[in-house]
Amino acid sequence: MHRDRPTIGIVYPDHAAEDDYPFAAELLGVNLPVAHIYGTDLHAVPELLDLGSPAKLAGGAAQFADEPLDALVWACTSGSFVYGPEGARTQVEQLSRDAGGVPTTSTSIAFVAALRALGVGRVAVSASYPRDVAELFVAFLADADVEVVSLADAGIDTAAEVGTLTDEAVLEFVRTNDHPDAQAVLVPDTAMHTLRIMRELGKETGKPVLTANQVTVWHGLELAGYTVECPELGSLFEEDTDHGAR
């Protein structure tokens, strides 16, 4: 049985948009402590493989050694999907062992869980990454039978640069890269500030918008057995969402 305020540990790479998490924690009345791990913040495959390596993630888990957790999330989309579906599952299994067996997920896995909870099978992807990295996310989704009807990439090389994007820049990027056949728009980078503009993103598109920091928080709470209605954080946190789907 979880405590009144569940604690979801967030293992976060470097520094970019981690202030999204205390914002969500205050809105939801939960604890979302952040542990940072470090590496180059390049959106490039070799660097991402290093960032999500077992040794790096073990260092993140170790920072929560004295903090009882209800769940743990590797809060990095590219640093999880770059390993492929099987590798991403292995990644979180190892991280769970490092954290003493608490339920564990990653942002990439959280995207798939969120799509299933919403019953969504066709999406548009608005990715900040260079094209080759963005295409790996498309492949990750395809393995879960999610059809990407359009892919836009901003070609931004570093997470730090993504973290400086203004709210209007994010809104414009998502607005212009929606697709009429998509049931939802996915925005897969935890370096991008999105949680303060989830309502605006939904209004711009007229459909669910799933962002990396949003699904990270949602799936961590779901694994902890905790659900809360908070429409300010988008469709995933609305009352009629089927939180029990996986």
Side-chain angles (χ1 to χ4, degrees):
M1 186 178 199
H2 59 71
R3 295 176 293 280
D4 289 340
R5 289 178 62 93
T7 298
I8 313 301
I10 306 293
V11 178
Y12 190 90
D14 295 286
H15 296 275
E18 65 269 29
D19 53 318
D20 267 5
Y21 293 101
F23 173 76
E26 183 174 354
L27 274 181
L28 298 169
V30 302
N31 301 317
L32 300 171
V34 177
H36 292 273
I37 62 173
Y38 297 96
T40 175
D41 71 342
L42 279 175
H43 288 144
V45 171
E47 286 78 9
L48 292 168
L49 288 169
D50 177 70
L51 188 61
S53 66
K56 287 270 174 64
L57 294 183
Q63 295 177 54
F64 293 116
D66 297 325
E67 186 157 14
L69 298 177
D70 295 289
L72 181 65
V73 189
W74 167 219
C76 184
T77 325
S78 55
S80 46
F81 69 67
V82 73
Y83 278 84
E86 184 176 349
R89 289 188 289 269
T90 299
Q91 190 182 54
V92 298
E93 288 166 2
Q94 180 60 57
L95 183 57
S96 177
R97 289 192 290 271
D98 293 336
V102 300
T104 303
T105 188
S106 67
T107 306
S108 293
I109 292 171
F111 266 112
V112 172
L115 291 169
R116 289 176 178 165
L118 293 172
V120 168
R122 296 189 315 279
V123 302
V125 172
S126 295
S128 57
Y129 318 122
R131 188 74 177 189
D132 63 327
V133 175
E135 287 174 344
L136 292 176
F137 184 53
V138 174
F140 188 92
L141 295 171
D143 183 78
D145 297 322
V146 176
E147 179 186 359
V148 176
V149 297
S150 66
L151 169 63
D153 61 275
I156 300 176
D157 288 328
T158 67
E161 184 179 350
V162 174
T164 67
L165 294 174
T166 64
D167 289 350
E168 184 49 47
V170 174
L171 286 164
E172 177 66 16
F173 182 56
V174 174
R175 178 191 308 125
T176 57
N177 293 301
D178 187 12
H179 189 283
D181 292 337
Q183 297 168 292
V185 182
L186 275 53
V187 188
D189 193 344
T190 60
M192 186 182 291
H193 290 93
T194 59
L195 295 192
R196 291 171 175 81
I197 57 170
M198 292 306 305
R199 282 188 184 273
E200 290 85 347
L201 286 168
K203 288 176 183 176
E204 289 289 347
T205 62
K207 64 186 64 170
V209 176
L210 303 183
T211 76
N213 288 331
Q214 177 209 37
V215 301
T216 294
V217 173
W218 173 82
H219 201 212
L221 290 170
E222 189 189 47
L223 290 181
Y226 186 89
T227 60
V228 58
E229 183 182 356
C230 184
E232 186 170 348
L233 291 180
S235 300
L236 277 178
F237 289 89
E238 292 178 355
E239 187 175 16
D240 59 353
T241 300
D242 179 11
H243 293 280
R246 286 292 193 274

